[in-house]
Amino acid sequence: MNSFDILKDEEKLISEKQIKELRRVVKGNILTNQPMREYTSLRVGGPADVIVFPEDTDDVTRTIKFLNGERLPYFILGNGTNLLVRDGGIRTVVISLSDGFRHIVKVGGGQSELLFAEAFAPLVSLIRLSIDCGLSGLEFAAGIPGTVGGGLVMNAGGSLGELKDVTLLMTILNRTGGISVKRREDSDFSYRNLRLASGSIILSAIFRLKPGNKSHISERVQAILGRRKETQPLDLPNAGSIFKNPKGVPAGKLIDEAGLKGMRIGGAKVSERHGNFILNLGNATASDVLGLMKEIRDSVYRETGLVLEPEVKIIGEE
Ligand SMILES: Cc1cc2nc3c(=O)[nH]c(=O)nc-3n(C[C@H](O)[C@H](O)[C@H](O)COP(=O)(O)OP(=O)(O)OC[C@H]3O[C@@H](n4cnc5c(N)ncnc54)[C@H](O)[C@@H]3O)c2cc1C
């Protein structure tokens, strides 16, 4: 029996009555008691009390209006590739756009350089479309396993580029159900972050690319994927880079120089191939991963005086 099983109903944030009401209001699926390890690439984390899967914009609008009316907090789940969910799971209502919101299309006619994508479209699909359309600019994102929404919120990327570089505008649903269009120039993107008003949900975005040669774009994508295979441990569950790079120094280099590669707590291990990746060897818990993160942070601070900040979003209950 885990900590969730012994929670009584009154200790949950959302009541059975509210779940029933939510089922009446929302067209999409609603699942309860879902193990978050099945929704995250790191494969750790306790259960989410409720996950709502709205089917379209009206449905997600109804969902958040209901939750706001009931004063229930919510969390937006993308593909779960930058998330560390604690072992106690999630009491706030989780909203997943995975049952819709995957449409991608080139906007306008032959000469257009614009691609439209809904929030749950995988970045990999967007890259594939950009190659098919002979549009260059998204190659840097090859191998990033997130969605358009998660990618924008994280301003995903690396040394070759970030999503903000190719973003023209985003359509955003706010906490009270209003929809607005935000241009890149009016958005607060920074290193691995986009500042959004609390409760905002990205519904879709338009990206502006540049005309290019299809086979050259495809070759660049393949080269980046090849490099990832060489340098990153992609065979075991992980969440990509665990820490942000402080002041332009790669966190992986600091972790390597602190002699931490291969270090293990429970089922979690610092990758031998890339110091900034923590791997789940199969039976890791979130507290194993968090314990390892603390060891890394403390050691790197002792050695260098630099404080590593998590890149991965840590959510849920102890
Ligand atoms: C093997 C591997 C390699 C990786 N390589 C890279 C890399 O090179 N560069 C890089 O930047 N990242 C990398 N990552 C991390 C991760 O893939 C990115 O951060 C990605 O953008 C996260 O997208 P996601 O859909 O999985 O979002 P999630 O992890 O599900 O969520 C991330 C954040 O976005 C929010 N969010 C998600 N969708 C929405 C939405 N529609 N509206 C509002 N908020 C939303 C969530 O609430 C959360 O705060 C890697 C991860 C793995 C596992």
Side-chain angles (χ1 to χ4, degrees), residues 41 75-83 97 119 143-147 149-151 153-154 156-157 192 200-202 228 232 234 238-240 277 311 313:
S41 59
F75 174 81
I76 312 302
L77 176 66
N79 201 29
T81 63
N82 198 56
L83 290 184
L97 302 184
I144 301 180
T147 59
V153 169
M154 294 309 302
R192 294 297 90 78
S200 298
I201 303 178
I202 296 177
R228 273 185 187 272
Q232 297 182 353
L234 303 176
N238 66 77
F277 276 57
E311 176 169 323
K313 302 267 184 195

Coordinates of all heavy atoms in Angstrom, one line a residue, residues 41 75-83 97 119 143-147 149-151 153-154 156-157 192 200-202 228 232 234 238-240 277 311 313, ligand 1:
S41 N 8.7 10.4 -18.8 CA 9.8 9.7 -19.4 C 10.7 9.1 -18.4 O 11.4 8.2 -18.6 CB 10.5 10.6 -20.4 OG 11.0 11.7 -19.8
F75 N -2.9 21.5 -13.2 CA -1.5 21.4 -13.8 C -1.6 20.9 -15.2 O -2.3 19.9 -15.4 CB -0.6 20.5 -12.9 CG 0.7 20.2 -13.5 CD1 1.7 21.2 -13.3 CD2 1.0 19.1 -14.3 CE1 3.0 21.0 -13.9 CE2 2.2 18.9 -14.9 CZ 3.2 19.9 -14.7
I76 N -0.9 21.5 -16.1 CA -0.9 21.1 -17.5 C 0.2 20.1 -17.8 O 1.4 20.4 -17.6 CB -0.8 22.3 -18.5 CG1 -1.7 23.4 -18.1 CG2 -1.1 21.8 -19.9 CD1 -3.1 23.0 -18.1
L77 N -0.2 18.9 -18.3 CA 0.8 17.9 -18.6 C 1.1 17.9 -20.1 O 0.1 17.9 -20.9 CB 0.2 16.5 -18.2 CG 1.0 15.3 -18.5 CD1 2.3 15.2 -17.7 CD2 0.2 14.1 -18.1
G78 N 2.4 17.9 -20.5 CA 2.7 17.7 -21.9 C 3.0 16.3 -22.0 O 2.3 15.4 -21.6
N79 N 4.2 16.0 -22.7 CA 4.5 14.6 -22.9 C 5.3 14.0 -21.7 O 5.8 12.9 -21.7 CB 5.4 14.4 -24.1 CG 5.4 13.0 -24.7 OD1 4.4 12.3 -24.5 ND2 6.5 12.6 -25.3
G80 N 5.4 14.9 -20.6 CA 6.1 14.4 -19.4 C 7.6 14.1 -19.5 O 8.1 13.3 -18.7
T81 N 8.3 14.8 -20.4 CA 9.7 14.5 -20.7 C 10.6 15.5 -19.9 O 11.8 15.4 -20.0 CB 10.0 14.5 -22.2 OG1 9.8 15.8 -22.7 CG2 9.2 13.5 -22.9
N82 N 10.0 16.4 -19.2 CA 10.8 17.3 -18.4 C 10.2 17.4 -16.9 O 10.3 18.4 -16.3 CB 10.8 18.7 -19.0 CG 12.0 19.5 -18.5 OD1 13.1 19.1 -18.5 ND2 11.7 20.6 -17.9
L83 N 9.6 16.3 -16.5 CA 8.9 16.3 -15.2 C 9.5 15.2 -14.3 O 9.8 14.1 -14.7 CB 7.4 15.9 -15.5 CG 6.6 17.0 -16.2 CD1 5.1 16.4 -16.2 CD2 6.6 18.3 -15.5
L97 N -3.6 17.5 -22.8 CA -4.2 17.8 -24.1 C -4.0 16.7 -25.2 O -4.2 16.9 -26.4 CB -3.7 19.1 -24.7 CG -3.8 20.3 -23.8 CD1 -3.3 21.6 -24.4 CD2 -5.3 20.5 -23.3
A119 N -1.0 22.3 -29.4 CA -0.1 22.2 -28.3 C 0.4 20.8 -28.1 O 1.5 20.6 -27.6 CB -0.8 22.7 -27.0
G143 N 15.3 15.3 -31.8 CA 15.6 14.4 -30.7 C 15.0 14.9 -29.4 O 15.2 14.3 -28.3
I144 N 14.4 16.1 -29.4 CA 13.8 16.6 -28.1 C 12.4 15.9 -28.1 O 11.6 16.2 -29.0 CB 13.7 18.1 -28.1 CG1 15.1 18.8 -28.2 CG2 12.9 18.6 -26.8 CD1 15.1 20.3 -28.1
P145 N 12.1 15.1 -27.1 CA 10.9 14.3 -27.1 C 9.6 14.9 -26.6 O 8.7 14.2 -26.2 CB 11.3 13.1 -26.3 CG 12.3 13.6 -25.3 CD 13.0 14.8 -25.9
G146 N 9.6 16.3 -26.6 CA 8.4 16.9 -26.0 C 7.4 17.3 -27.1 O 7.5 17.0 -28.3
T147 N 6.4 18.0 -26.6 CA 5.3 18.5 -27.4 C 5.6 20.0 -27.7 O 6.4 20.6 -27.1 CB 4.0 18.5 -26.7 OG1 4.1 19.2 -25.5 CG2 3.6 17.0 -26.3
G149 N 3.6 22.5 -26.9 CA 3.2 23.3 -25.7 C 4.4 23.2 -24.6 O 4.8 24.2 -24.1
G150 N 4.8 22.0 -24.3 CA 5.9 21.8 -23.4 C 7.2 22.4 -23.9 O 7.9 23.0 -23.1
G151 N 7.4 22.3 -25.2 CA 8.6 22.9 -25.7 C 8.6 24.4 -25.6 O 9.7 25.0 -25.3
V153 N 6.9 26.2 -23.3 CA 7.0 26.6 -21.9 C 8.4 26.5 -21.4 O 8.9 27.2 -20.6 CB 6.0 25.8 -21.1 CG1 6.3 25.9 -19.6 CG2 4.6 26.2 -21.4
M154 N 9.2 25.5 -21.9 CA 10.5 25.2 -21.5 C 11.5 26.0 -22.4 O 12.7 26.0 -22.2 CB 10.9 23.7 -21.6 CG 10.1 22.8 -20.7 SD 10.2 23.4 -19.0 CE 12.0 23.4 -18.7
A156 N 12.5 25.1 -25.2 CA 13.4 23.9 -25.4 C 14.4 24.2 -26.5 O 14.1 25.0 -27.5 CB 12.6 22.7 -25.8
G157 N 15.6 23.6 -26.4 CA 16.6 23.8 -27.4 C 18.0 23.5 -26.8 O 18.1 22.7 -25.9
R192 N 15.6 28.2 -21.1 CA 14.7 27.1 -20.6 C 13.5 27.6 -19.9 O 13.1 27.0 -18.9 CB 15.5 26.1 -19.8 CG 16.6 25.3 -20.4 CD 16.1 24.4 -21.5 NE 16.2 25.1 -22.8 CZ 17.3 25.3 -23.5 NH1 18.4 24.8 -23.1 NH2 17.2 26.0 -24.6
S200 N -2.2 29.7 -17.3 CA -2.3 29.8 -18.7 C -2.0 28.5 -19.4 O -1.2 27.7 -19.0 CB -1.2 30.8 -19.3 OG -1.5 32.1 -18.7
I201 N -2.7 28.3 -20.5 CA -2.6 27.0 -21.3 C -2.3 27.4 -22.7 O -3.0 28.2 -23.3 CB -3.8 26.1 -21.2 CG1 -4.2 25.8 -19.8 CG2 -3.6 24.9 -22.0 CD1 -5.5 25.0 -19.6
I202 N -1.2 26.9 -23.2 CA -0.9 27.2 -24.6 C -1.7 26.2 -25.5 O -1.7 25.0 -25.2 CB 0.6 27.0 -25.0 CG1 1.5 28.0 -24.2 CG2 0.9 27.1 -26.5 CD1 3.0 27.8 -24.3
R228 N 23.4 13.0 -30.8 CA 22.7 12.7 -29.5 C 22.9 11.2 -29.1 O 23.1 10.9 -28.0 CB 21.1 12.9 -29.7 CG 20.7 14.3 -29.4 CD 19.2 14.3 -29.5 NE 18.8 15.7 -29.4 CZ 18.5 16.3 -28.3 NH1 18.6 15.7 -27.1 NH2 18.1 17.6 -28.3
Q232 N 24.4 10.9 -25.6 CA 23.3 10.8 -24.5 C 22.9 9.3 -24.3 O 22.8 8.5 -25.2 CB 22.1 11.6 -24.9 CG 22.4 13.1 -25.1 CD 21.2 13.9 -25.4 OE1 20.1 13.4 -25.7 NE2 21.4 15.2 -25.4
L234 N 20.3 7.0 -24.2 CA 18.9 7.1 -24.6 C 18.2 5.7 -24.4 O 17.0 5.5 -24.7 CB 18.8 7.5 -26.1 CG 19.4 8.9 -26.3 CD1 19.3 9.2 -27.8 CD2 18.7 10.0 -25.5
N238 N 14.8 8.5 -18.6 CA 15.4 9.7 -18.1 C 14.5 10.9 -18.4 O 13.5 10.8 -19.1 CB 16.8 9.9 -18.7 CG 16.8 10.1 -20.1 OD1 16.5 11.3 -20.6 ND2 17.0 9.1 -21.0
A239 N 15.0 12.1 -18.0 CA 14.2 13.3 -18.3 C 15.1 14.3 -18.9 O 14.9 15.5 -18.8 CB 13.6 13.9 -17.0
G240 N 16.0 13.9 -19.7 CA 17.0 14.8 -20.4 C 17.9 15.4 -19.3 O 18.1 14.9 -18.3
F277 N 22.6 13.6 -17.0 CA 21.4 12.7 -17.1 C 21.3 11.8 -15.9 O 22.3 11.1 -15.6 CB 21.5 11.8 -18.4 CG 21.0 12.5 -19.7 CD1 21.6 13.7 -20.1 CD2 20.0 11.9 -20.4 CE1 21.2 14.3 -21.2 CE2 19.6 12.6 -21.6 CZ 20.2 13.8 -22.0
E311 N 16.6 21.8 -14.1 CA 15.9 22.1 -15.3 C 14.6 21.4 -15.3 O 13.5 21.9 -15.8 CB 16.7 21.7 -16.5 CG 16.0 21.9 -17.9 CD 16.9 21.8 -19.1 OE1 18.1 22.2 -19.0 OE2 16.4 21.3 -20.1
K313 N 11.1 20.0 -14.1 CA 10.1 20.6 -13.2 C 9.7 19.5 -12.1 O 9.3 18.4 -12.5 CB 8.9 20.9 -13.9 CG 9.1 21.9 -15.1 CD 8.8 23.3 -14.6 CE 9.0 24.3 -15.7 NZ 9.1 25.7 -15.3
Ligands
LIG1 C1 16.1 12.1 -23.9 C2 15.7 13.5 -23.7 C3 16.4 14.5 -24.3 C4 16.0 15.9 -24.1 N1 16.7 16.9 -24.8 C5 16.4 18.1 -24.6 C6 17.1 19.2 -25.3 O1 18.0 19.0 -26.0 N2 16.7 20.5 -25.0 C7 15.7 20.8 -24.2 O2 15.4 22.0 -24.0 N3 15.0 19.8 -23.5 C8 15.3 18.5 -23.7 N4 14.6 17.5 -23.0 C9 13.6 17.9 -22.1 C10 12.1 18.0 -22.6 O3 12.0 17.1 -23.7 C11 11.8 19.4 -23.1 O4 11.8 20.3 -22.0 C12 10.4 19.4 -23.6 O5 10.2 20.6 -24.2 C13 9.3 19.1 -22.6 O6 8.1 19.0 -23.3 P1 6.9 18.1 -22.8 O7 5.8 18.1 -23.7 O8 7.4 16.7 -22.4 O9 6.5 18.9 -21.5 P2 6.3 18.4 -20.0 O10 7.5 17.8 -19.5 O11 5.0 17.5 -19.9 O12 6.0 19.7 -19.2 C14 7.0 20.7 -19.1 C15 6.4 22.0 -18.6 O13 5.5 22.5 -19.6 C16 4.2 22.8 -19.1 N5 3.3 22.6 -20.3 C17 3.3 21.5 -21.1 N6 2.4 21.7 -22.1 C18 1.8 22.9 -21.8 C19 0.7 23.7 -22.4 N7 0.1 23.3 -23.5 N8 0.4 24.9 -21.9 C20 1.0 25.3 -20.7 N9 2.0 24.7 -20.1 C21 2.4 23.5 -20.6 C22 4.1 21.8 -18.0 O14 3.1 22.3 -17.1 C23 5.5 21.8 -17.4 O15 5.6 22.9 -16.6 C24 15.0 16.2 -23.2 C25 14.3 15.2 -22.6 C26 14.6 13.8 -22.8 C27 13.9 12.7 -22.1

